[in-house]
Amino acid sequence: MKTTITILFTVLFFLAQSQESQYQQAMQKAIETLNNSVSPDEYNFVANTFERISTAEPGEWLPLYYAAYANIVHSFEVENSNQKDQLLDKAQQFLDKAFKIAPEESELFALQAFLYPGKIMVDPMGRGPEYMGKIYQALDDAIRLNPDNPRPYFLRAITTLNMPPEFGGGPAVAKPIFETAKEKFESFQPATPLSPNWGKEINDMEMEKL
């Protein structure tokens, strides 16, 4: 009887290890594809890939995160307002699911703050007043949950840079925030090989312009 139980647990252990390995491999391949994507079709393909992974791994928030991220970046590449809104709405659906899995995850709040400017771009005058407050609230939450996460500082710097000086923005105000983000990026270590690790290159590029 003991031998049978031992064999059963051994089989279950190796099955779990195999499933985890498949998940890791699928995610690593999809992240690599995402990092090399440049066209709408490529972003659409990789977003669908992450969606399939999330269906297979319903307890994981990272596939949903990357599916949302791919749709957000894709939205910045299209000019049609309706299409932009559709992509952002789809990204929000992925984010909402991810928040249910990891409600206290700093990276999700940072990504939420990354989504809102796209909404503003569709209708700056109509949506600006509504979404600006949401951006800063999401960034505050991201920093509160993980003060070492560089992405909310980077996103706050970008937001401040693009804000008119009369509203407290502009290069002079944004520069020290970029510098803080740079310090955070230099010391940041992703929690896992699959964890978000984007933004450093763009932060450095923006700093060179100031």
Side-chain angles (χ1 to χ4, degrees), residues 2 18 30 34 45 53-54 56-57 60 63 73 83-84 92-93 123 128 141 148 155 158 162 176 185-186 201:
K2 290 182 179 180
S18 176
L34 173 61
F45 171 81
I53 296 174
S54 73
E57 300 288 343
E60 300 286 348
V73 176
Q83 186 180 2
K84 189 185 293 288
Q92 188 64 64
Q93 291 173 5
D123 180 10
D141 288 336
D148 296 324
L155 293 168
I158 290 288
N162 292 295
F185 275 119
E186 288 175 349
E201 293 79 7

Side-chain angles (χ1 to χ4, degrees), residues 107-127:
E107 295 289 2
L108 292 177
F109 283 97
L111 191 62
Q112 182 70 79
F114 187 44
L115 182 150
Y116 287 142
K119 282 290 187 181
I120 294 176
M121 288 170 63
V122 174
D123 180 10
M125 295 300 294
R127 295 180 177 181

Side-chain angles (χ1 to χ4, degrees), residues 49-74:
T49 300
F50 282 117
E51 183 176 10
R52 288 194 296 272
I53 296 174
S54 73
T55 300
E57 300 288 343
E60 300 286 348
W61 64 270
L62 278 169
L64 294 162
Y65 173 96
Y66 285 113
Y69 178 85
N71 277 285
I72 294 169
V73 176
H74 184 181

Side-chain angles (χ1 to χ4, degrees), residues 19-39:
Q19 290 176 344
E20 182 178 357
S21 177
Q22 291 176 0
Y23 167 71
Q24 296 277 341
Q25 291 174 8
M27 285 291 291
Q28 287 172 352
K29 183 177 179 180
I31 291 170
E32 182 178 350
T33 301
L34 173 61
N35 291 338
N36 292 317
S37 295
V38 293
S39 72

Side-chain angles (χ1 to χ4, degrees), residues 5-24:
I5 294 174
T6 301
I7 292 173
L8 178 60
F9 275 109
T10 301
V11 170
L12 291 174
F13 172 79
F14 281 109
L15 283 174
Q17 291 291 101
S18 176
Q19 290 176 344
E20 182 178 357
S21 177
Q22 291 176 0
Y23 167 71
Q24 296 277 341

Side-chain angles (χ1 to χ4, degrees), residues 3 23 33 35 49 54 65 97 101 133 137 140 152 161 164 172 184 186 189-190 195 204:
T3 301
Y23 167 71
T33 301
N35 291 338
T49 300
S54 73
Y65 173 96
K97 291 179 181 179
I101 298 171
Q137 182 60 61
D140 286 345
L161 177 65
K184 299 290 184 179
E186 288 175 349
Q189 293 294 328
S195 298
D204 290 343

